[in-house]
Amino acid sequence: ANLALVSPHWSKFTRCEELYKSLCQRIYLNQSKRKVLHVHKFGNSYRRMLELRPRIRVGGGLYVLQYKEVKKIQRDMWTDIPVGAVLESIYYRYLYFFEDGRVMYALTHAHLME
C-alpha cells in the first residue's frame, strides 16, 4: 500500500495480480509440505493471500523470543541474597531462516543490543 503512494507507475505495479501470484508461489510453495496454494480460501486473490496468510520471513527476518523465569531461591547457610529478593532469569532465543530451509539458532542471556 505504501508503494502505491510513490508514483502512478508504482500504483499500477502494486495492483498487478500476476506479481502477487509469483510472490505467493515463491514464498508459500517453499514453506508448505503439500505444495498447493489454496487461493480460493482468500477470495481467489493472491494479494489478499499475501496480506492475510501467515508465513515465515526468510532472508532477512530475525525472530527473537524472550523467556523470563522467576526462580525460587534456595535458602541455606551460604545464601547471601536478602530475604524478599526475587531471582529472575531471562533468556533470548534468536532464529534466522534462510530460503533453502536452513535455520540459524542462538540461545543466550545477552539481549541483541548488548
Side-chain angles (χ1 to χ4, degrees), residues 16-57:
C16 177
E17 190 69 16
E18 284 297 315
L19 170 71
Y20 290 109
K21 180 178 180 180
S22 66
L23 282 172
C24 287
Q25 288 174 343
R26 180 179 173 197
I27 293 168
Y28 295 120
L29 292 181
N30 287 338
Q31 295 180 7
S32 67
K33 291 181 181 177
R34 295 185 184 166
K35 307 295 183 200
V36 180
L37 288 178
H38 298 293
V39 71
H40 62 358
K41 294 181 180 179
F42 300 94
N44 290 326
S45 171
Y46 287 99
R47 179 181 179 185
R48 188 156 170 81
M49 175 188 274
L50 195 63
E51 291 172 352
L52 299 177
R53 186 174 172 180
R55 63 186 181 274
I56 296 174
R57 310 284 179 171

Side-chain angles (χ1 to χ4, degrees), residues 12 14 30 35 43 48 50 71 75 81 90 101 105-107 111:
K12 291 177 188 175
T14 57
N30 287 338
K35 307 295 183 200
R48 188 156 170 81
L50 195 63
K71 295 184 177 182
R75 296 275 172 212
I81 301 171
I90 300 175
Y105 172 79
L107 175 65
H111 190 269

Side-chain angles (χ1 to χ4, degrees), residues 63-80:
Y63 292 86
V64 180
L65 172 70
Q66 179 182 354
Y67 177 72
K68 290 183 182 181
E69 179 183 20
V70 177
K71 295 184 177 182
K72 184 177 179 182
I73 300 172
Q74 289 293 106
R75 296 275 172 212
D76 55 21
M77 58 191 270
W78 296 284
T79 303
D80 293 337

Side-chain angles (χ1 to χ4, degrees), residues 97-108:
F97 296 93
F98 295 95
E99 286 195 31
D100 62 357
R102 294 179 299 134
V103 177
M104 192 179 339
Y105 172 79
L107 175 65
T108 180

